[in-house]
């Protein structure tokens, strides 16, 4: 079974600073990888996804992520954060079995952007 | 606009009661999912359904039940057998054949035992 490890449960940063949220996954076979964002008391919104091709993936709100197969990582980055980026971020990997697909999520990283 | 509607937004349950959480989508998606979210635990899969009248247990199905009588609806019942039901519940959907498609999520139901 797939597993996802988000190495930091909380990341505090100052506004306009760069940020990296780390994600490692367990599988060595081809995978689909996703980053989602959740604002308080809301559902999850897709930030970006890696399916194949270029290892640098750009998403919404200025976020990007880099797929590294050798390190089984998919870290999320933003060069300059805003107060409005304060949210919880989830990394996820697709798992396929018996003709079904499901997403396996990490435990999340709470990003707090301080003025 | 198409989307997923979860209701109610807040739900309170007394000890020993069964409660049902509603999830409706008008996206014409085949696959639907229920996740439970607890602080610091991420999202854990309860049940999922790929087509009407078929569903599979996820990682934490004990104490929960589902039905899938219509494509657009996937209600979740939290039974009295679920000993710790207080959590945030999220419903999601996707086209079944699109393996590279990110899920669409509802806005969630917060269930509290009183």
């Amino acid at each position: 079974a797939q597993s996802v490890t988000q190495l930091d449960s909380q990341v505090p940063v100052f506004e306009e600073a760069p940020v990296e949220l780390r994600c490692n996954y367990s599988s060595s076979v081809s995978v689909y990888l996703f980053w989602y964002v959740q604002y308080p008391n809301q559902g999850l919104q897709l930030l970006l996804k890696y399916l194949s091709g270029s290892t640098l993936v750009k998403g919404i709100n200025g976020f990007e992520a880099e797929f590294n197969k050798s390190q089984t990582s998919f870290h999320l980055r933003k060069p300059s954060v805003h107060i409005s980026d304060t949210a919880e971020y989830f990394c996820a990997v697709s798992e396929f079995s018996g003709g079904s697909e499901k997403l396996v999520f990490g435990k999340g990283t709470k990003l707090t952007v301080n003025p | 606009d198409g989307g997923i509607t979860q209701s109610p937004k807040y739900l309170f349950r007394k000890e020993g009661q069964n409660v049902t959480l509603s999830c409706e989508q008008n996206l014409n998606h085949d696959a639907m999912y229920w996740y439970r979210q607890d602080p610091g635990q991420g999202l854990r899969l309860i049940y999922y359904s790929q087509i009407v009248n078929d569903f599979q247990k996820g990682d934490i199905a004990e104490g929960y039940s589902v039905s899938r009588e219509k494509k657009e609806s996937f209600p979740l019942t939290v039974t009295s057998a679920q000993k710790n039901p207080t959590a945030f519940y999220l419903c999601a959907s996707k086209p079944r054949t699109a393996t590279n498609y990110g899920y669409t999520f509802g806005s969630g139901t917060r269930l509290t035992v009183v």
Side-chain angles (χ1 to χ4, degrees), chain A residues 3 9 14 27 39-40 42 54 59 66 70-71 76 82 99-100 103 105:
Chain A
S3 67
S9 60
F14 288 108
S27 175
Y39 300 101
Q42 294 187 26
S54 172
E66 185 158 18
S70 63
Q71 297 185 9
L76 181 71
H82 303 289
S100 299
L103 281 183
F105 287 87

Side-chain angles (χ1 to χ4, degrees), chain A residues 54-106:
Chain A
S54 172
T55 57
L56 185 62
V57 180
K58 294 190 182 297
I60 62 171
N61 301 341
F63 283 93
E64 62 183 32
E66 185 158 18
F67 171 64
N68 188 318
K69 187 175 181 179
S70 63
Q71 297 185 9
T72 60
S73 68
F74 190 53
H75 300 333
L76 181 71
R77 301 186 182 105
K78 187 170 183 177
S80 175
V81 294
H82 303 289
I83 298 286
S84 59
D85 292 322
T86 295
E88 190 159 18
Y89 293 80
F90 292 93
C91 182
V93 62
S94 284
E95 180 174 272
F96 299 90
S97 65
S100 299
E101 180 203 1
K102 53 185 179 179
L103 281 183
V104 177
F105 287 87

Side-chain angles (χ1 to χ4, degrees), chain B residues 14-29:
Chain B
K14 293 183 179 178
E15 295 280 353
Q17 273 187 338
N18 292 354
V19 291
T20 297
L21 283 59
S22 171
C23 177
E24 304 276 335
Q25 54 98 359
N26 60 3
L27 300 164
N28 200 33
H29 287 172

Side-chain angles (χ1 to χ4, degrees), chain B residues 30-75:
Chain B
D30 296 294
M32 297 186 74
Y33 305 80
W34 273 106
Y35 285 89
R36 170 179 170 143
Q37 185 178 14
D38 297 280
Q41 295 295 315
L43 278 72
R44 293 180 290 170
L45 184 63
I46 305 172
Y47 269 98
Y48 60 107
S49 169
Q50 301 290 302
I51 56 174
V52 174
N53 292 323
D54 186 46
F55 48 83
Q56 291 80 39
K57 292 182 179 180
D59 301 317
I60 56 165
E62 185 175 351
Y64 300 97
S65 65
V66 293
S67 63
R68 188 83 188 277
E69 298 176 0
K70 299 186 295 181
K71 185 176 184 178
E72 58 270 23
S73 178
F74 191 41

